Amino acid sequence: VPTPTYTAAYEEYFAGWEREHNVTENESTIFSCVTNGFAHSGSNSVVLKHTDSTQSGYIQIQQTSLSISDGTYTLSFWVAGEVNGQQVIWIKPGPTTANGDWLLINSVATGETEGDWTKYSTTFNVASGNTVTELTIGTSGNTNGLYLDDISIVKAGTTSNLVKNGS
């Protein structure tokens, strides 16, 4: 897994996503950006980096334009890199899901690996009458490079990805 460096060169592939941090971002020790040349599929992935020991807090990406309602869904994505010596990531599918609290994805790795990449997946339900509008993925631990790729939310019985990934 390569050591990440900040670049703004591939921002067009970040379309549909937002950054959310409670730490001060910079271009050397705390950042999130789109990389080129290290990906599970295609050419790009997103990397989160937080190595500033003077700042504790989270670094994450969000998609806030979702409209997911009534049903069972599978959230999956591929991860490469480490957080505090472990591959670990937190997700929050949204405030109105049956299990809308933060979920520790480390416990639901699928066991499927390809090179440096490991697939993570979890199922969540959206109660009748509710709509999930937000997906947040990130870490609250230090990481020298947590790479994310091929993020998807698919409703049971369908194959359509409801998450926008790049342009």
Side-chain angles (χ1 to χ4, degrees):
V1 177
T3 300
T5 56
Y6 177 81
T7 181
Y10 307 102
E11 282 299 298
E12 70 269 18
Y13 298 108
F14 203 67
W17 291 92
E18 300 172 9
R19 293 168 174 87
E20 175 68 27
H21 310 134
N22 70 347
V23 290
T24 303
E25 191 171 15
N26 58 59
E27 294 182 2
S28 60
T29 60
I30 300 177
F31 60 82
S32 57
C33 69
V34 176
T35 66
N36 183 269
F38 184 71
H40 172 255
S41 69
S43 298
N44 304 98
S45 63
V46 172
V47 63
L48 307 177
K49 180 177 180 175
H50 182 341
T51 58
D52 186 341
S53 62
T54 66
Q55 295 188 60
S56 62
Y58 61 83
I59 181 169
Q60 58 195 26
I61 57 172
Q62 295 179 319
Q63 194 158 114
T64 59
S65 58
L66 299 173
S67 182
I68 299 172
S69 58
D70 297 353
T72 301
Y73 297 84
T74 298
L75 165 66
S76 63
F77 50 90
W78 290 81
V79 175
E82 293 184 346
V83 178
N84 293 326
Q86 292 182 302
Q87 282 188 316
V88 63
I89 193 162
W90 294 88
I91 59 102
K92 187 172 186 178
T96 58
T97 61
N99 57 348
D101 293 334
W102 288 97
L103 303 171
L104 179 61
I105 294 303
N106 193 45
S107 62
V108 291
T110 64
E112 187 176 349
T113 61
E114 293 179 10
D116 292 323
W117 295 88
T118 301
K119 186 175 184 181
Y120 289 78
S121 181
T122 190
T123 300
F124 65 96
N125 296 301
V126 179
S128 180
N130 290 327
T131 301
V132 172
T133 58
E134 174 186 314
L135 167 66
T136 302
I137 301 176
T139 177
S140 60
N142 285 356
T143 176
N144 192 36
L146 180 69
Y147 292 84
L148 305 167
D149 202 4
D150 298 331
I151 301 166
S152 69
I153 295 177
V154 177
K155 187 172 186 173
T158 71
T159 58
S160 180
N161 184 3
L162 302 174
V163 175
K164 179 177 171 65
N165 287 309
S167 60

